[in-house]
Amino acid sequence: MELQERLNEVRSHIAAAERRAGRAAGSVQLVAVSKTFDADQIRPAISAGQRVFGENRVQESQGKWPELKAETPGIELHLIGPLQSNKAADAVALFDVIETIDREKIAHAIADEMKRQGKSLQLYVQVNTGLEPQKAGIAPDDTVAFVDLCRKELGLSIEGLMCIPPAEENPGPHFALLAKLAKQAGVEKLSMGMSSDYETAVAFGATSVRVGSAIFGAR
Ligand SMILES: *Cc1c(COP(=O)(O)O)cnc(C)c1O
């Protein structure tokens, strides 16, 4: 199957999941995760009308996205991987959305850089819903207080929450927990669901899904 067919298939699965969940058509944004694929492999997705992309590494993204963004206006690039504070300046310069704010130090670094560069990015807090030691993200119990701190002390506007459920578990309870925390913290957006579970995520209220291999193929 060609990339364009796979992309259309994912789009129609999202539309069907929206209908089944009684949600408005187009209420779920598709973030096409292009990590490990180079500019030539990403261009067909842009030609097919895709404008929102996700990458998990700052340095890898710097090798392809300045060029791709210059070619096509209206690209929205999401950082969905862990961020080190020494990469904050580069991340703020290149990305439009950072989904992985998960500790005070990085929140400070991003706030400082946005001020310095005169840029305002959309920000999400990443939640480690499975409390996995190897995974980034703030603990569920600390999420509401952390969102408050980002808003009140750092002046950041946090628009959403993001999670990556444990690979071997049923994702539903993790999506439900993220939705509950978002309500408690007063944030609107929910970034959840990947190739294997994005339709489930739509049923649980995802406002964006991050889909890589189902569009670009195996990595
Ligand atoms: C790679 C990645 C995805 C996409 O995963 P697929 O299983 O290829 O769809 C989604 N979210 C994050 C944070 C990722 O790193």
Side-chain angles (χ1 to χ4, degrees), residues 33 35 56 80-81 162 164 194-196 210-214 219:
V33 177
K35 67 189 184 198
N56 69 339
I80 60 172
M162 176 272 221
I164 311 167
M194 320 200 323
S195 291
S196 57
R210 310 177 308 268
V211 180
S213 47
R219 289 182 295 270

Side-chain angles (χ1 to χ4, degrees), residues 29 31 76 78-79 96-102 121-127 146-147 150 157-163 178 187-192 207-208 210:
Q29 180 185 58
V31 179
E76 182 180 293
H78 292 226
L79 179 62
D96 305 289
V97 181
I98 295 178
E99 299 199 10
T100 51
I101 305 291
D102 68 348
L121 276 63
Q122 273 189 51
L123 303 175
Y124 288 61
V125 165
Q126 182 177 354
V127 183
F146 181 66
V147 169
C150 288
S157 98
I158 302 291
E159 304 193 25
L161 301 181
M162 176 272 221
C163 76
L178 198 72
V187 304
E188 301 282 327
K189 295 185 175 172
L190 287 170
S191 170
M192 54 192 200
T207 58
S208 61
R210 310 177 308 268

Side-chain angles (χ1 to χ4, degrees), residues 84-114:
Q84 306 300 323
S85 31
N86 64 359
K87 292 272 167 60
D90 291 337
V92 168
L94 181 60
F95 287 87
D96 305 289
V97 181
I98 295 178
E99 299 199 10
T100 51
I101 305 291
D102 68 348
R103 57 197 190 279
E104 217 175 314
K105 188 176 177 203
I106 204 71
H108 264 290
I110 294 297
D112 288 348
E113 271 310 320
M114 291 200 308

